Amino acid sequence: QVQLVESGGGSSVQAGGSLRLACAAFGATYSTNCMGWFRQAPGKEREAVAAIDSDGSIRYKDSVKGRFTISQDNAKNTLYLQMNSLKPEDTAMYYCAADSWAPARLYCSDGRPPRYWGQGTQVTVSS
């Protein structure tokens, strides 16, 4: 089992500002191949934002390319999402997820959602 704990959200940021989310992984982290960030805004479906896998492959949602950067510190078992030039439409609950084998090009999903999920952290961008 893998436990994921997100942090870095919770406070409002103005449009154009920056925020860094972190996701600490605990447990059988050696079993994970892919980690990613997802978000869900009120009344909308959950969507993939970015993913990174053990091969170093990375994929971003088109609307965040050039603004968001996903990275990981394997020594700390922590995944990050640096978010710059934030827009009000980035407002959502952000979730960290991990899977044992699905690749980043599929956002850690392969016909099914990633196996492990965090509890989420709220990102609010004001205009």
Side-chain angles (χ1 to χ4, degrees), residues 2-6 23-26 29 32 35-36 77 96-99 115-120:
V2 176
Q3 295 79 43
L4 303 173
V5 180
E6 301 98 332
C23 172
F26 303 92
T29 57
T32 58
M35 295 188 74
N77 290 326
C96 172
D99 196 77
R115 182 175 180 181
Y116 305 108
W117 291 86
Q119 82 288 353

Side-chain angles (χ1 to χ4, degrees), residues 1-2 20 30 42-43 61 68 112 121 126:
Q1 289 290 325
V2 176
R20 188 176 81 156
Y30 57 85
K61 175 180 174 63
F68 290 11
R112 46 142 183 85
T121 186
S126 59

Side-chain angles (χ1 to χ4, degrees), residues 8-13 19 121-125:
S11 58
S12 179
V13 61
L19 206 59
T121 186
Q122 178 67 38
V123 172
T124 303
V125 184

Side-chain angles (χ1 to χ4, degrees), residues 14-67:
Q14 287 193 330
S18 298
L19 206 59
R20 188 176 81 156
L21 304 182
C23 172
F26 303 92
T29 57
Y30 57 85
S31 68
T32 58
N33 170 70
C34 183
M35 295 188 74
W37 291 96
F38 294 72
R39 68 187 182 188
Q40 186 167 21
K44 295 187 177 181
E45 292 188 355
R46 184 177 64 199
E47 60 182 9
V49 176
I52 183 169
D53 64 29
S54 60
D55 292 335
S57 297
I58 293 175
R59 184 177 180 184
Y60 293 101
K61 175 180 174 63
D62 285 346
S63 64
V64 307
K65 285 180 180 178
R67 300 189 299 122

